[in-house]
Amino acid sequence: MAKKIIYFLCTGNSCRSQMAEGFGKYYLGNDYLVLSAGIERHGVNPLAVQVMGEVGIDISDQTSKLIDRNILAHADLVVTLCSDAEKRCPVTPPQVRREHWPFPDPAEVSGSPAEKLAAFRTVRDGIQDRVSQLAQSRND
């Protein structure tokens, strides 16, 4: 039996979708193929790597990727994590379930390094909650 595909999308595939991919792989294990991509490629944000490492999840080997229309068409679930990706994501077939989890872009926060890190942690924790809820609903 083929693994179900969960595809996390945001604009640059640098922060939110990368964190969601990391949590998805952690919480959903080998039952799912968990992937992420973006409308554009901005590279993986070092602060996303740092805050994920703080909770024991290493995303340092993940890369920023563009949306693959073939994966999109065969996904079981597509989750957009920003309004830009929600609006600009290519059309999916009717059998592909879509959800939108609106999270602010932590990379847009200005201020001190501590304030920027706090923004990344807040978004990380919110994404972790949503992915763990998704995993729990899949296991019920």
Side-chain angles (χ1 to χ4, degrees):
M1 183 172 136
K3 290 183 181 186
K4 292 187 175 187
I5 300 170
I6 298 180
Y7 210 17
F8 291 105
L9 307 176
C10 65
T11 302
N13 191 218
S14 64
C15 300
R16 294 162 286 186
S17 55
Q18 293 289 344
M19 290 189 273
E21 179 182 349
F23 283 125
K25 289 176 178 175
Y26 177 79
Y27 284 110
L28 295 164
N30 294 323
D31 296 334
Y32 292 85
L33 178 59
V34 179
L35 303 165
S36 71
I39 306 295
E40 305 161 3
R41 265 193 308 236
H42 293 175
V44 180
N45 188 298
L47 289 177
V49 174
Q50 179 180 337
V51 299
M52 290 298 287
E54 292 173 358
V55 295
I57 297 176
D58 182 5
I59 64 168
S60 62
D61 288 336
Q62 291 179 194
T63 59
S64 184
K65 301 162 292 301
L66 294 175
I67 293 173
D68 181 311
R69 289 182 182 270
N70 186 49
I71 295 170
L72 192 67
H74 293 94
D76 295 280
L77 172 62
V78 171
V79 178
T80 52
L81 294 125
C82 68
S83 58
D84 186 48
E86 181 187 32
K87 292 175 193 162
R88 295 175 55 198
C89 179
V91 174
T92 54
Q95 76 274 9
V96 175
R97 190 170 128 223
R98 284 180 73 156
E99 291 185 14
H100 179 59
W101 302 351
F103 285 98
D105 186 353
E108 290 184 355
V109 170
S110 58
S112 70
E115 291 169 321
K116 292 177 183 181
L117 202 51
F120 272 84
R121 288 177 178 138
T122 298
V123 170
R124 174 204 62 202
D125 294 347
I127 292 171
Q128 181 177 20
D129 288 345
R130 291 298 301 260
V131 175
S132 66
Q133 289 171 15
L134 174 66
Q136 185 61 40
S137 71
R138 300 282 183 216
N139 293 327
D140 288 342

